[in-house]
């Protein structure tokens, strides 16, 4: 079991020395460079009108790549350094591998040209160590590209401010910093999964203290350095608790102007800056004493990252459409099993294990769906799916035949006003029951029966939680019901109406679980059973014991599968899991999750399939 703890780092108020310390002299070979980047061996990359040059620490040239380019950025690489520039003639980003041992610059294939002039570009390395590139146009059109793998792929399009001349990404915090020349510095979420987030870091007067706007930009450990638009002043910023704050500024000598540039080399608390205040001024050096301050969040449980094996065809409707999946097991051929999923704008869909859509029932605005198989009702056996329909606040019932095709079977009225989530329960004896909830917290518990060839629903009881619920799951083996209250956490009680007991909180929102609490499902393994919960607030999934005391076994995120061309998952609403052997990668079962943001490239929402074996290995589960 992974233990959670709360930690904090000591904050320092001093951002830099009041009087700059002497900085190492810059090589004279940098004199004509428009942009520079320090290298880990003490050398430099210098971009000038003749191309990209590789220099040693003393300034001697080791290699040159002829190109008229701009927007130099770097990341570490197995051979030394990965560098990317943008060809000024073709507007194509050109990656290069800098082999520090051999002293060579080796060009990789160039990216396709975007449909706009590139005003800024910057590299990003995500938590999976996958490299991305941001390309930003003059009018704010922007694209994020995947650099890893056999071919470059567009990840997403995004809208950024106009006139962004400089950008950099802090990989540790997944933060894209964009310097809008006429207005200020903005911080965006670099991770493509999830909704966009933006913070104002520093703005021009009268909204802030920048002179005119934002100029050249460089990263510092846990922070950033920024020049004013005219290059006459240096500003420092640091991250604290997920927010950016000013950490001091200094006036720079000389007259500033267009074409200022900035680069930083950090070693511990010592930072050496190389800067030029204008295109026509020489490069200068400045040393800073810098202490980062990155307060730890209240989460000490790390994330594992697992990759999806495949994904379903996208929804036929844009926007927030997909919601909840449910797995149907084929009675004789596991490979022919189906995944049913709801489209809140259309109806019920079915997919095969390759993710291909096999059926669509346009049954209305369905929200949550659940399935039980081999249900005995009035002497007949049925495979049944039930779903909540928001058009008329009803519970819909579907039959599923031996091939995995669903058909509408019944519609049950409720007295709920904003019907939302639901889950099924199959008590001992083969009957079927349904728990249906309302956004106001009410639950209605129904028994589904059959008589005279018709399905009927009878209300057994009503109860409520204090605020909005949605996800729930019933454990047919233990007779327990698990309920997710979106802002508070996960509750447990008995599923039987005849043995009602008070709700008991088993996993509150906190270190392991971030609101909203969404989909839930139960995995019944050979040695243990687990409850999986969608922690929508941080795009993760929590795994805890299904049995009391419900110890948390870990949590994970679903990352990108570059080889398969499948993006990760974020803002998951519904999910389902099975331990059945479905063959192929799913011999230990499969988790299916709704993906709130389809990337690689952008598209309508869909569902992702994850092999349970991958989750078990990542979290060391039995």
């Amino acid at each position: 079991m992974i233990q959670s703890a709360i930690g904090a780092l000591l904050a320092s108020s001093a951002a830099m020395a009041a009087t700059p310390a002497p900085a190492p002299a810059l090589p004279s070979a940098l004199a004509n460079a428009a942009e520079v980047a320090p290298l880990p061996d003490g050398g430099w990359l210098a971009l000038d009108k003749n191309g990209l040059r590789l220099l040693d620490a003393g300034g001697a040239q080791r290699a040159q790549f002829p190109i008229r380019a701009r927007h130099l950025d770097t990341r570490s690489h197995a051979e030394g350094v990965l560098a990317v520039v943008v060809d000024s003639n073709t507007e194509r980003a050109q990656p290069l591998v800098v082999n520090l041992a051999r002293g060579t610059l080796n060009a990789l294939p160039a990216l396709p040209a975007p449909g706009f002039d590139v005003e800024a570009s910057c590299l990003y390395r995500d938590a999976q160590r996958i490299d991305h590139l941001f390309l930003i146009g003059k009018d704010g059109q922007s694209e994020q590209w995947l650099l890893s793998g056999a071919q470059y792929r567009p990840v997403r399009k995004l809208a950024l401010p106009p006139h962004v001349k400089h950008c950099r990404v802090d990989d540790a915090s997944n933060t894209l910093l964009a310097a809008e020349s006429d207005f200020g510095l903005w911080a965006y979420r670099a991770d493509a999964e999830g909704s966009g987030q933006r913070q104002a870091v520093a703005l021009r007067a009268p909204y802030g203290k920048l002179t005119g706007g934002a100029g050249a930009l460089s990263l510092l450990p846990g922070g950033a350095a920024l020049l004013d638009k005219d290059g006459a002043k240096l500003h420092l910023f640091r991250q604290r608790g997920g927010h950016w704050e000013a950490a001091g500024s200094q006036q720079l000598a000389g007259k500033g102007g267009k074409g200022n540039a900035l680069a930083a080399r950090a070693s511990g608390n010592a930072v050496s800056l190389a800067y030029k205040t204008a295109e026509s001024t020489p490069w200068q050096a400045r040393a800073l004493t810098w202490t980062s301050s990155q307060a730890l969040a209240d989460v000490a449980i790390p994330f594992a990252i697992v990759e999806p094996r495949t994904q379903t065809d996208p929804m036929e409707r844009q926007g927030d459409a997909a919601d909840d999946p449910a797995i149907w097991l084929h009675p004789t051929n596991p490979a022919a099993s189906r995944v049913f999923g709801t489209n809140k704008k259309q109806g019920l869909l079915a997919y095969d294990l390759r993710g291909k859509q096999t059926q669509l029932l346009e049954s209305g605005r369905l929200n949550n769906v659940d399935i039980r198989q081999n249900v005995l009702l009035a002497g007949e056996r049925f495979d049944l799916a039930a779903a909540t329909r928001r058009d008329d606040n009803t519970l819909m019932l579907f039959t599923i035949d031996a091939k995995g095709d669903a058909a509408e079977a019944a519609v049950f009225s409720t007295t709920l006003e904003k019907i939302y989530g639901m889950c099924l329960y199959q008590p001992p004896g083969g009957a079927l029951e349904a728990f249906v909830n309302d956004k106001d917290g009410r639950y209605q518990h129904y028994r589904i029966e059959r008589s005279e060839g018709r399905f009927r629903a009878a209300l057994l009881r009503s109860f409520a939680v204090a605020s909005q619920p949605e996800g729930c799951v019933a454990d047919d083996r233990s007779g327990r019901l698990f309920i997710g209250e979106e802002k508070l956490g996960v509750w447990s009680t008995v599923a039987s109406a005849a043995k009602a007991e008070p709700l008991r909180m088993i996993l509150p929102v906190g270190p392991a679980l971030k609101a909203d609490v969404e989909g839930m499902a139960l995995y019944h393994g050979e040695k243990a059973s687990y409850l999986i919960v969608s922690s929508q607030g941080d795009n993760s999934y929590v795994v805890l014991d299904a049995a009391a005391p419900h110890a948390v076994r870990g949590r994970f995120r679903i990352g990108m599968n570059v080889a398969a061309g499948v993006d990760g998952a974020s803002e998951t609403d519904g999910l389902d899991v099975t331990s059945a052997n479905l063959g192929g990668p799913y011999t230990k079962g499969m988790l299916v999750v709704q993906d709130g943001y389809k990337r690689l490239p952008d598209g309508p929402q869909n569902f992702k399939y994850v092999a349970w074996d991958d989750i078990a290995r990542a979290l060391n589960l039995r």
Side-chain angles (χ1 to χ4, degrees), residues 274-357:
Y275 70 94
K276 57 190 306 181
T277 58
E279 190 173 18
S280 58
T281 61
W283 283 93
Q284 301 179 65
R286 176 165 296 226
L288 305 174
T289 300
W290 171 261
T291 304
S292 66
S293 174
Q294 290 186 330
L296 293 176
D298 63 342
V299 176
I301 302 177
F303 295 107
I305 298 179
V306 299
E307 297 180 2
R309 294 304 184 108
T310 192
Q311 61 185 340
T312 66
D313 291 334
M315 296 280 117
E316 295 182 9
R317 300 290 188 270
Q318 296 286 344
D320 186 18
D323 192 272
D324 189 37
I327 300 169
W328 174 82
L329 302 176
H330 193 283
T332 59
N333 180 12
S337 298
R338 295 284 185 264
V339 172
F340 287 86
T342 58
N343 181 329
K344 291 180 286 193
K345 300 181 179 183
Q346 194 173 22
L348 185 68
L349 302 99
Y351 306 90
D352 63 21
L353 295 189
R354 297 174 301 149
K356 300 301 180 183
Q357 183 178 317

Side-chain angles (χ1 to χ4, degrees), residues 595-607:
D595 181 15
Y597 289 87
K598 165 71 174 65
R599 307 297 192 193
L600 202 65
D602 293 313
Q605 294 177 340
N606 66 358
F607 300 95

Side-chain angles (χ1 to χ4, degrees), residues 224-293:
L226 176 75
L227 295 178
D228 274 336
K229 181 181 179 180
D230 65 5
K233 201 170 194 178
L234 175 70
H235 300 265
L236 296 188
F237 306 92
R238 69 158 60 88
Q239 283 187 295
R240 190 192 302 272
H243 296 278
W244 290 82
E245 59 183 32
S249 63
Q250 281 191 359
Q251 197 73 30
L252 300 178
K255 184 178 180 180
K258 182 180 179 181
N260 56 69
L262 182 64
R265 188 195 303 272
S267 178
N269 290 340
V271 174
S272 176
L273 291 179
Y275 70 94
K276 57 190 306 181
T277 58
E279 190 173 18
S280 58
T281 61
W283 283 93
Q284 301 179 65
R286 176 165 296 226
L288 305 174
T289 300
W290 171 261
T291 304
S292 66
S293 174

Side-chain angles (χ1 to χ4, degrees), residues 388-402:
T388 48
R389 185 164 66 182
R390 296 164 73 174
D391 301 278
D392 52 6
N393 295 308
T394 58
L395 177 66
M396 293 198 69
L397 192 68
F398 302 84
T399 56
I400 305 173
D401 66 20

